Amino acid sequence: MELKGALCYVLDFDDIYNYAHQTAAKIKESDFQPEVIVGIARGGWIHARIQCDLLGVKELFSVKIDHWGVTATKDGKAKLTCPLTGDVTGKKVLVVDDITDTGESLTMAVEHVKECGPAEVRSATLMHIAGSKFVPDFYGVEVTWAWEIFPWNFYEDLTALIKKIFEGEKVNELSTMEVKKHLREYNNVVLSDEQLSKIKAHMGYLEVIQYPLDKAWKLKE
Ligand code: ADE
């Protein structure tokens, strides 16, 4: 069935640990043993912390890359907004992100870290989208393009997707049943009533929809 929006997959922490273990296994089989991990904020932070645990790495630093673009778009103009937070001189460094899509984040982060005097730099992601310009040295799984809704981005992504549904439907009020149905038709996303109720509370908190909450989801004017 043709979707009205971008194909999305909702991932949970079992998926994340599954992919993280697959990534770590490939690193352990390789000739590369990192001494420092650099997590790309914000998407790479949790994966970076998990790799510290799986690989026994005690040094965890950060860089921040920001994007112009929104949830579930292929757009990806990247900008380094916070440089490396620690000293990597003479160290073997693993730069970690959640996913390679356009590859701009990792390209930029790896280039930046290489300018900071390390002995060696490699990269790792949980997921790699086939055809991405940048292929990480290590990744858990290769997938075709979809918007992957990571557990650390669940409320942000769902808020953006539901905003797009309001725009697409040209309405400013929807029932929970309608939100549920449209998420399936637009994005192939199926959510429980409990998840929907938490998203609704979140959108109220952010004042995307009217607060105090009504029975309906009413866009804030
Ligand atoms: N960030 C960049 N590309 C992405 C994708 N396809 N899914 C989730 N997050 C992303």
Side-chain angles (χ1 to χ4, degrees):
M1 194 194 66
E2 182 75 19
L3 291 175
K4 294 185 187 171
L7 173 64
C8 295
Y9 291 113
V10 177
L11 303 175
D12 62 20
F13 272 104
D14 283 346
D15 299 315
I16 299 311
Y17 269 92
N18 207 347
Y19 301 153
H21 276 286
Q22 291 180 48
T23 310
K26 291 172 189 171
I27 297 168
K28 288 176 177 175
E29 283 165 11
S30 79
D31 58 352
F32 181 72
Q33 191 162 9
E35 299 164 288
V36 176
I37 288 179
V38 174
I40 303 178
R42 294 176 295 159
W45 270 24
I46 293 173
H47 181 213
R49 182 62 186 86
I50 293 170
Q51 288 305 339
C52 284
D53 190 30
L54 300 185
L55 300 171
V57 174
K58 298 270 161 50
E59 295 290 345
L60 175 58
F61 301 152
S62 177
V63 295
K64 187 161 199 281
I65 313 269
D66 275 312
H67 289 267
W68 307 103
V70 286
T71 293
T73 62
K74 298 184 190 186
D75 177 315
K77 270 264 152 284
K79 190 169 180 273
L80 180 88
T81 52
C82 181
L84 186 58
T85 56
D87 183 11
V88 296
T89 314
K91 295 282 168 63
K92 288 186 278 183
V93 183
L94 185 67
V95 180
V96 173
D97 208 351
D98 48 7
I99 187 165
T100 27
D101 186 336
T102 65
E104 284 203 42
S105 290
L106 261 183
T107 305
M108 194 164 277
V110 166
E111 271 175 25
H112 172 61
V113 174
K114 280 185 175 165
E115 287 164 3
C116 299
E120 206 177 335
V121 181
R122 306 262 183 114
S123 58
T125 59
L126 295 165
M127 309 181 83
H128 171 62
I129 292 186
S132 165
K133 269 187 242 155
F134 186 99
V135 183
D137 297 294
F138 311 100
Y139 54 84
V141 285
E142 182 174 280
V143 294
T144 55
W145 195 90
W147 188 264
E148 306 291 347
I149 302 176
F150 295 108
W152 45 86
N153 223 58
F154 182 79
Y155 294 98
E156 192 170 314
D157 281 346
L158 263 302
T159 298
L161 294 177
I162 293 165
K163 270 188 183 175
K164 279 197 204 141
I165 289 170
F166 276 106
E167 283 167 28
E169 295 303 303
K170 299 187 172 64
V171 294
N172 42 35
E173 190 175 324
L174 289 167
S175 69
T176 299
M177 278 253 294
E178 287 169 323
V179 171
K180 197 167 181 164
K181 180 182 74 130
H182 288 313
L183 279 170
R184 203 172 338 107
E185 292 173 354
Y186 274 68
N187 308 109
N188 202 39
V189 165
V190 177
L191 297 179
S192 68
D193 293 340
E194 189 185 338
Q195 285 173 312
L196 282 166
S197 130
K198 285 176 175 165
I199 294 160
K200 188 181 176 193
H202 176 76
M203 290 176 71
Y205 167 71
L206 292 185
E207 299 190 53
V208 173
I209 59 173
Q210 284 180 31
Y211 190 88
L213 296 175
D214 201 71
K215 194 156 181 357
W217 303 50
K218 288 184 184 159
L219 269 191
K220 181 129 182 180
E221 284 100 45

